[in-house]
Amino acid sequence: MKNILIITKYASTKNEGMESRISVLASEFAIKKYNVSVVTSNSNHCAYYKKTKKKIYNYIYNKVKFKVINTLQYKTTTSLKRILSWFDFELKLFLNIKKLVIEKPDVIIVSSLSLLTVVNGLILKNKFKSTKLIFEVRDIWPLTLIEEGGYSKYHPAVLFLGFIEKIGYKYYDAIVGTMPNLKDHVENVLNKPNKNVFCIPFGVFPENYLLENSYITNNKLFNDVENFSKKKFTVAYAGSIGLSNGLDTIVQVAKQLSDVNFVFIGDGDYKDKYQKELFQFPNVIFTGKIDKKYVKYFLDQCDVLFLAALPSKVWLYGWSLNKMIDYMISGKPVIAEYDGHKSMINEANSGFFVKSRNVNELRNKIVEVSKMSTIDLEKLGKNGKKWIIKNRNWSKIAADYLSIIDEITK
């Protein structure tokens, strides 16, 4: 039985209120008879850990051994405390590495964030010699810092993170990215070919989306959306409503298409702003935040689903968005305002891409789709659902991951 050690700042389970990618994969690895340990932190803006004075505490979840480091807490994703929390995790990991990692792992998966875990991975490799290292990239740093944070490429933090990134790409045995075109980025950084770059995207348990729930039919908000969507062709957006979600274009289109209804599901810093801007338009409604397990029922009432990604060099290397999975498995066509490396929608033939920040193109595409027959719309939606169930099942994704592990450890 091979020993897999996963080191990552964020690895919450259902016990903490959010099942992370790592906890799902670790559980799937354990199901497939691998011995899995996870070293993580209790400082997580998406999860809730019990307060403790212990420096490190252990528990078992789905046959996976979790070792949790008590780390500096923070509340918001943009706070300085979040950055300090990364350093706190890395320092405590370094100082307690002998206590945390006793049994020799066959492979160590270092999953960003924090990027600094790359260094601790190399320390462990030096300790155990034959252990193999996998660098898992969920966000491309420091490129994300430059593109979304507005930092200069010569900023000390960018230069430092770039140095760590290059070490990971150069000295690790395999690089796994959630994005499909990471290989191009790795080769650009190293300035040479690299055959050990793989895509292991986010996944889904299809059965969680196919359950029926009678409770929702008695929900007033749901009934309001249901009645609203029956009146006209309806476009829906579900997710955070903030600056980075790129909703300015769809907001402008909503003002121009009075014969199309628009539903915005979710909450965020820009929700009130958009709501005031669209207050006089009867073809728009905002639901506010909805429990994730009920969102699928709201999406089911609409005709086409929309999402946007602001222009960024990060997207040149593709995406693997949970939102896209939610959209496609709902069985509805998707319109994506996106300029990056295209995947999923085009692979499944389940929707359309339009250029970012182009009001005319988005408006024309919505009008075009609104005139399609119900049969054609249903066909597109079914294509997406079928593709997700086949290609994004967590069990398959875990098996693909394990094939990489088996290859580098044989």
Side-chain angles (χ1 to χ4, degrees):
M1 181 183 291
K2 289 181 180 176
N3 296 323
I4 299 174
L5 170 64
I6 305 174
I7 305 176
T8 180
K9 177 73 164 57
Y10 304 107
S12 56
T13 70
K14 283 184 178 179
N15 289 343
E16 290 83 43
M18 179 198 167
E19 192 170 36
S20 66
R21 165 188 168 84
I22 290 299
S23 69
V24 172
L25 284 171
S27 297
E28 289 294 315
F29 294 165
I31 289 171
K32 298 179 190 301
K33 307 302 181 183
Y34 288 73
N35 183 29
V36 189
S37 298
V38 176
V39 176
T40 188
S41 161
N42 66 347
S43 178
N44 188 328
H45 59 280
C46 294
Y48 301 94
Y49 289 83
K50 294 179 181 178
K51 291 184 178 180
T52 180
K53 292 183 179 179
K54 293 182 179 179
K55 292 181 179 180
I56 298 169
Y57 62 94
N58 306 323
Y59 69 90
I60 295 176
Y61 177 83
N62 285 350
K63 298 183 179 180
V64 177
K65 296 184 283 290
F66 282 81
K67 300 180 181 182
V68 185
I69 301 173
N70 194 352
T71 312
L72 178 68
Q73 301 294 308
Y74 68 94
K75 293 183 179 179
T76 60
T77 58
T78 56
S79 68
L80 175 61
K81 272 193 172 182
R82 187 187 186 197
I83 306 298
L84 294 175
S85 181
W86 296 349
F87 283 96
D88 189 37
F89 173 70
E90 301 301 339
L91 179 60
K92 289 175 179 174
L93 172 60
F94 174 76
L95 294 174
N96 296 280
I97 209 159
K98 291 183 179 179
K99 295 179 184 178
L100 291 163
V101 186
I102 300 172
E103 188 176 18
K104 177 185 179 296
D106 294 289
V107 64
I108 299 172
I109 299 173
V110 167
S111 185
S112 65
L113 293 165
S114 149
L115 198 60
L116 295 175
T117 311
V118 166
V119 176
N120 278 311
L122 289 170
I123 292 171
L124 286 168
K125 182 176 176 67
N126 183 62
K127 176 183 177 181
F128 293 112
K129 305 304 180 185
S130 61
T131 292
K132 300 297 182 180
L133 291 176
I134 294 178
F135 179 17
E136 181 177 275
V137 181
R138 300 201 309 269
D139 291 296
I140 302 176
W141 292 82
L143 184 61
T144 299
L145 199 61
I146 296 169
E147 290 294 308
E148 297 182 11
Y151 284 75
S152 164
K153 63 181 180 180
Y154 301 110
H155 190 282
V158 171
L159 293 173
F160 175 68
L161 289 174
F163 173 71
I164 299 296
E165 177 192 37
K166 192 169 185 176
I167 287 175
Y169 293 161
K170 186 175 182 179
Y171 294 108
Y172 274 53
D173 299 287
I175 298 107
V176 167
T178 56
M179 60 294 296
N181 201 33
L182 179 65
K183 183 178 172 67
D184 280 3
H185 176 69
V186 172
E187 292 181 345
N188 287 340
V189 170
L190 296 178
N191 197 28
K192 66 178 184 179
N194 190 314
K195 64 179 181 180
N196 293 321
V197 184
F198 307 91
C199 176
I200 300 293
F202 285 91
V204 66
F205 290 114
E207 59 271 21
N208 291 345
Y209 288 77
L210 305 178
L211 296 173
E212 294 299 326
N213 191 318
S214 58
Y215 167 78
I216 197 69
T217 58
N218 299 318
N219 181 282
K220 183 180 183 305
L221 181 58
F222 172 79
N223 291 332
D224 289 343
V225 172
E226 183 181 32
N227 293 329
F228 179 76
S229 62
K230 285 179 179 178
K231 296 175 182 177
K232 299 175 185 176
F233 183 86
T234 302
V235 178
Y237 167 83
S240 297
I241 302 176
L243 176 63
S244 63
N245 303 109
L247 299 180
D248 284 349
T249 309
I250 191 76
V251 166
Q252 296 307 313
V253 170
K255 296 176 182 178
Q256 298 176 17
L257 294 180
S258 59
D259 54 346
V260 175
N261 278 340
F262 295 83
V263 178
F264 292 88
I265 301 168
D267 203 353
D269 296 339
Y270 272 41
K271 175 178 163 287
D272 290 343
K273 172 184 178 294
Y274 290 140
Q275 209 162 2
K276 290 176 182 177
E277 193 172 339
L278 295 168
F279 177 74
Q280 296 180 340
F281 294 86
N283 63 323
V284 180
I285 60 172
F286 289 79
T287 68
K289 188 174 182 179
I290 293 173
D291 191 314
K292 182 176 173 58
K293 64 185 177 182
Y294 296 132
V295 171
K296 58 188 175 182
Y297 302 110
F298 285 80
L299 297 181
D300 193 48
Q301 304 308 309
C302 305
D303 298 292
V304 67
L305 309 178
F306 170 83
L307 81 150
L310 292 175
S312 170
K313 289 181 181 179
V314 172
W315 301 124
L316 292 174
Y317 309 107
W319 59 8
S320 177
L321 305 177
N322 282 326
K323 184 185 298 182
M324 183 62 75
I325 293 174
D326 293 343
Y327 275 14
M328 291 173 68
I329 204 169
S330 72
K332 298 293 179 179
V334 180
I335 296 176
E337 183 188 330
Y338 174 71
D339 292 336
H341 176 84
K342 295 176 174 58
S343 62
M344 300 180 72
I345 295 174
N346 54 314
E347 293 172 274
N349 187 25
S350 63
F352 311 91
F353 289 102
V354 297
K355 292 179 182 177
S356 293
R357 294 178 170 174
N358 190 315
V359 174
N360 290 337
E361 184 171 344
L362 178 58
R363 182 191 63 235
N364 293 341
K365 180 57 67 176
I366 290 175
V367 171
E368 175 190 326
V369 174
S370 71
K371 294 178 180 178
M372 292 175 64
S373 68
T374 301
I375 293 175
D376 287 339
L377 288 173
E378 288 180 350
K379 183 178 180 180
L380 287 174
K382 287 178 180 178
N383 286 346
K385 186 173 185 176
K386 183 178 179 181
W387 190 90
I388 289 293
I389 291 173
K390 178 182 178 182
N391 295 284
R392 290 293 189 266
N393 189 305
W394 273 124
S395 180
K396 177 187 181 301
I397 288 173
D400 291 343
Y401 212 137
L402 288 172
S403 68
I404 297 169
I405 291 173
D406 290 341
E407 179 63 26
I408 65 175
T409 56
K410 68 181 181 181

